[in-house]
Amino acid sequence: MMTRRLELVFQNAAGRRTVLTVQEPRSDITADEVRAAMELIVARNVFTSPGGDLVAVAGARLVSRETVDLISV
């Protein structure tokens, strides 16, 4: 079974990175859409983190993971 997640990486007020994860994003999502959403999250101060508010976009990545059951009971 293949699973995908979108990891949104932000810099917080303490200068550290924090990651927000979205499970099963659209398969046709674009970098422009992701950047626009991340900039909106920062501008509207939607989330905070242990290191304070999210202050900048630091990156984003799509992560795919394939699981193959070898033994099924």
Side-chain angles (χ1 to χ4, degrees):
M1 178 169 80
M2 179 71 80
T3 60
R4 290 175 23 127
R5 68 178 185 261
L6 172 62
E7 294 182 347
L8 309 174
V9 184
F10 295 91
Q11 181 178 349
N12 64 24
R16 293 190 305 261
R17 291 181 176 218
T18 189
V19 179
L20 297 176
T21 302
V22 179
Q23 299 295 330
E24 301 300 333
R26 282 189 355 242
S27 61
D28 62 345
I29 195 163
T30 67
D32 289 341
E33 290 174 314
V34 171
R35 178 174 290 281
M38 293 178 76
E39 289 173 350
L40 187 61
I41 288 169
V42 171
R44 300 254 173 108
N45 199 21
V46 176
F47 299 105
T48 190
S49 71
D53 292 342
L54 306 181
V55 297
V57 172
R61 57 187 169 243
L62 284 169
V63 178
S64 298
R65 179 177 165 190
E66 182 176 7
T67 303
V68 177
D69 291 330
L70 296 178
I71 299 172
S72 180
V73 179

